[in-house]
């Protein structure tokens, strides 16, 4: 049994806020007399409170098994959804709640009527729901036909079955596409197909269309036109429209408007057990707990001090003995949660004073992870005891704590907060 604990601070919250405010005012007033920018001062304060990753480069004694746990929590830019152990679907946040509210907003997780056979959810611009019978249902953005290409509405407010696909075992919602993995190991796409990344034909997919060169797949992840797929042997494949996030040598189309890179294996030295992907970068955990990354590091997506692109997979020098990886987050075998990349602080997301973490920062300890979840400027970790912990933005009530916080201050952004939603 493990106890979940955010990183503890040495003084109470109120005194700390007062002291921090005075410190920032003092630094700002003396800025002209020193070399540091306001962002650098804030960054140094963060480093004092949240330790930088410092772990020995050692492999795990026991190899890890592939993580194929169903996606039980998902976020869009404004609402979240979760699936409980009993198969019920719960939502919270702003819009897209599938239930009546007075204002269209409810930061408290509540059950959606009529669903008791849910298996998994996945979200981006829209939300996908996988049910026990292998059918997939969706709601939210439909601007590219990612839910129902026969419907001209750009937002679908009710739960609607996606036609033309069945026997699904895993799902991945993208900003303009829906991705489905069937029980025979094949992958299908519905939606924009921007740049012809699926089939070298730059045209919307109006029926679920098979992705070539993929077989015996057991898990998929997708983000902004980049698909990663893992097969039974633990071999990772990539395809999509982004050259930087694919991590391999690429076939170049003769047509400049086509961004087609057929699925092919990513060269990694051992079996992959967990992975994550953004539009420009990706990270994979191997069976020995090592982390390998590739792509763009312009926003410290890879937690590296060097901002240059990494074309082929390289071992991360800071993260070792990792058991779960997600976009901008990782958990080690010791139960330490690290976060990385760019974060913003200000009154709201439109007035961001941002700085970049070029190394992983420890923000929570003693957790037993199950899934790391990414939403627009929001992050969460689902733990094996059924609890969910969020950090970063909450201005739409995405954290599911019963509150909406529009003013995002530094400690609030980085301190994990327990959600009212649990899996059990």
């Amino acid at each position: 049994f493990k106890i979940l604990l955010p990183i503890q601070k040495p003084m109470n919250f109120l005194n700390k806020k007062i002291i921090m405010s005075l410190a920032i005012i003092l630094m700002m007033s003396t800025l002209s007399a020193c070399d540091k920018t306001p962002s650098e001062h804030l960054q140094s304060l963060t480093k004092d409170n949240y330790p930088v990753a410092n772990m020995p480069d050692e492999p795990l004694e026991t190899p890890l098994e592939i993580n194929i746990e169903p996606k039980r929590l998902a976020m869009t830019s404004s609402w979240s959804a979760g699936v409980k152990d009993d198969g019920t679907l719960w939502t919270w946040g702003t819009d897209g709640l599938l239930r009546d509210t007075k204002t269209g907003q409810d930061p408290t997780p509540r059950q959606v009527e009529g669903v008791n056979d849910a298996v998994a959810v996945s979200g981006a611009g829209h939300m996908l729901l996988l049910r026990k019978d292998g059918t997939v249902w969706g709601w939210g953005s439909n601007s590219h036909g990612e839910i129902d290409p026969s419907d001209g509405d750009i937002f679908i407010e009710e739960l609607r079955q996606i036609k033309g696909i069945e026997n699904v075992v895993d799902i991945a919602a993208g900003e303009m596409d829906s991705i489905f993995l069937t029980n025979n190991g094949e992958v299908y796409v519905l939606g924009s197909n921007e740049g012809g990344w699926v089939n070298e034909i730059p045209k919307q997919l109006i029926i679920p269309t098979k992705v070539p060169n993929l077989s015996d797949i057991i898990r998929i992840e997708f983000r902004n036109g980049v698909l990663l797929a893992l097969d039974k042997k633990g071999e990772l494949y990539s395809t999509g429209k982004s050259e930087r996030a694919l991590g391999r040598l690429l076939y170049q189309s003769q047509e400049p408007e086509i961004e087609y890179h057929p699925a092919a294996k990513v060269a990694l030295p051992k079996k992959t057990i967990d992975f994550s992907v953004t539009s420009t970068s990706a990270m994979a955990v191997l069976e020995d707990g090592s982390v390998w990354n590739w792509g763009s590091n312009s926003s410290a997506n890879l937690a590296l001090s060097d901002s240059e692109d990494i074309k082929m997979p390289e071992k991360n020098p800071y993260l070792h003995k990792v058991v779960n990886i997600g976009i901008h987050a990782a958990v080690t075998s010791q139960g330490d949660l690290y976060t990385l990349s760019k974060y913003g602080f200000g009154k709201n997301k439109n007035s961001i004073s941002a700085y970049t973490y070029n190394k992983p920062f420890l923000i929570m300890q003693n957790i037993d992870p199950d899934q790391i979840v990414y939403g627009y400027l929001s992050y969460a970790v689902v733990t094996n005891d059924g609890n969910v912990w969020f950090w970063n933005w909450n201005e739409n009530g995405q954290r599911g704590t019963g509150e909406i916080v529009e003013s995002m201050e530094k400690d609030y952004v980085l301190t994990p907060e327990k959600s009212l939603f649990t899996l059990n």
Side-chain angles (χ1 to χ4, degrees), residues 89 91 95-100 112-113 139 156-159:
L89 174 67
T91 60
D95 299 325
L97 301 183
L98 298 179
R99 50 187 173 82
D100 292 332
V112 175
E113 293 184 3
W139 75 100
I156 294 177
E157 297 183 358
E158 79 281 357
L159 198 58

Side-chain angles (χ1 to χ4, degrees), residues 281-301:
S281 63
M283 304 181 83
V285 179
L286 306 190
E287 60 182 341
D288 62 357
S290 63
V291 175
W292 292 67
N293 38 229
W294 58 93
S296 171
N297 191 48
S298 60
S299 295
N301 292 329

Side-chain angles (χ1 to χ4, degrees), residues 84 123 144 194 247 344 386:
K84 285 186 176 284
H144 297 87
E194 184 182 24

